[in-house]
């Protein structure tokens, strides 16, 4: 029994180390080939991966800002701290909620799409066809998606911060009765521009994680529809886990 447990743990550890090595190798190969990126394909991916994700990101962050203000405004008003609500909402959204939730949404929408697309190309031997035509799959497929994810995530963050704070203001003003001046002045007093720019820096890292993990899973998909589905699921799960892990260390570096 103990022997079987140790063997299972050993196999899992070896597999995890192998996957980590492959992901790091893919990242290094992608970084080395950034200068060969196709501009037209990169712009196309930016529109597909970034602009098309804007509605669902805005919807998610709007209600996140509203529910956060709902939970904080009533309690702060009860204890006479209504003048702090706007700043607290803005800081929480800018530093943590917006970048993390945007990363999770994009991982679910874009990470799954990248993994499914590349996985389908892998099982239908389109990747092998690119190699036969002397076209590097990383340069042609991974680099544009990596650049698009890294460049578009901060753009999504800017719009998401705006809509999140608007949602917080609506609840604070119309539900908790906090005046416009009090709410806006609280943001000016407590929040700082780095609360937003720090979240944008985080989002660039999250975008890189999503693109690299999804590409790794897609390019390594097993044969058949089941293999593509499994690669897609693993891509989303691993991306979200790595986003939360990276968020802790980035927060420690940027804000502590």
């Amino acid at each position: 029994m103990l022997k079987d447990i140790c063997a299972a743990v050993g196999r899992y550890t070896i597999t995890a180390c192998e996957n980590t090595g492959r992901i790091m190798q893919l990242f290094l190969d992608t970084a080395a080939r950034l200068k060969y990126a196709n501009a037209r394909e990169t712009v196309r991916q930016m529109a597909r991966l970034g602009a098309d994700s804007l509605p669902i990101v805005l919807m998610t962050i709007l209600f996140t800002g509203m529910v956060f203000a709902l939970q904080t405004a009533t309690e702060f008003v009860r204890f006479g701290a209504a003048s702090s609500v706007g700043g607290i909402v803005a800081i929480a959204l800018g530093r943590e909620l917006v970048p993390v939730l945007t990363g999770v949404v994009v991982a679910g929408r874009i990470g799954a799409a990248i993994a499914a697309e590349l996985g389908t190309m892998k099982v239908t031997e389109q990747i092998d066809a690119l190699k036969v035509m002397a076209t590097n799959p990383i340069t042609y497929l991974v680099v544009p998606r990596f650049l698009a994810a890294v460049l578009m995530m901060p753009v999504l963050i800017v719009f998401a911060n705006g809509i999140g704070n608007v949602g917080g203001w609506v609840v604070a003003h119309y539900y908790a009765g906090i005046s416009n001046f009090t709410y806006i002045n609280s943001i000016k007093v407590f929040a700082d521009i780095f609360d937003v720019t720090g979240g944008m820096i985080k989002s660039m890292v999250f975008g890189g994680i999503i693109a690299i993990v999804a590409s790794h899973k897609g390019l390594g998909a097993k044969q058949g529809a089941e293999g593509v589905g499994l690669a897609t699921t693993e891509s989303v799960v691993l991306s979200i886990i790595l986003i939360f892990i990276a968020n802790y260390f980035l927060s420690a570096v940027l804000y502590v």
Side-chain angles (χ1 to χ4, degrees), residues 42 45-47 49-50 143-153:
T42 301
Q45 293 296 332
M46 288 172 68
L49 306 185
V143 170
R145 289 165 173 79
F146 176 81
L147 277 176
V150 171
L151 294 176
M152 290 306 295
M153 282 292 285

Side-chain angles (χ1 to χ4, degrees), residues 1-171:
M1 180 66 179
L2 181 60
K3 181 180 179 180
D4 293 338
I5 294 175
C6 292
V9 171
R11 285 193 299 270
Y12 178 82
T13 303
I14 292 172
T15 301
C17 291
E18 289 177 347
N19 287 330
T20 301
R22 293 192 183 101
I23 290 173
M24 289 304 301
Q25 185 62 55
L26 178 60
F27 169 72
L28 294 175
D29 290 343
T30 301
R33 297 177 180 278
L34 289 178
K35 58 184 177 181
Y36 304 115
N38 184 289
R40 177 176 294 182
E41 178 64 15
T42 301
V43 171
R44 189 178 76 87
Q45 293 296 332
M46 288 172 68
R48 177 170 169 254
L49 306 185
D52 291 349
S53 300
L54 187 60
I56 188 173
V57 168
L58 293 183
M59 183 67 68
T60 301
I61 302 303
L62 171 64
F63 284 96
T64 299
M66 292 176 70
V67 75
F68 189 78
L70 179 67
Q71 297 291 342
T72 57
T74 53
E75 297 300 322
F76 276 49
V77 169
R78 182 190 304 175
F79 292 103
S83 60
S84 303
V85 173
I88 296 299
V89 171
I91 291 172
L93 288 173
R95 291 187 178 188
E96 300 296 335
L97 294 176
V98 167
V100 171
L101 290 178
T102 300
V104 170
V105 170
V106 172
R109 184 184 184 276
I110 301 306
I114 293 175
E117 184 178 8
L118 299 188
T120 301
M121 295 180 71
K122 171 71 182 303
V123 301
T124 56
E125 300 182 349
Q126 296 180 53
I127 303 294
D128 294 333
L130 289 174
K131 294 178 181 178
V132 169
M133 293 187 295
T135 300
N136 189 289
I138 295 176
T139 304
Y140 185 73
L141 298 173
V142 180
V143 170
R145 289 165 173 79
F146 176 81
L147 277 176
V150 171
L151 294 176
M152 290 306 295
M153 282 292 285
V155 178
L156 294 176
I157 293 300
V158 172
F159 285 99
N161 268 300
I163 198 69
N165 280 286
V166 168
W169 164 78
V170 168
V171 172

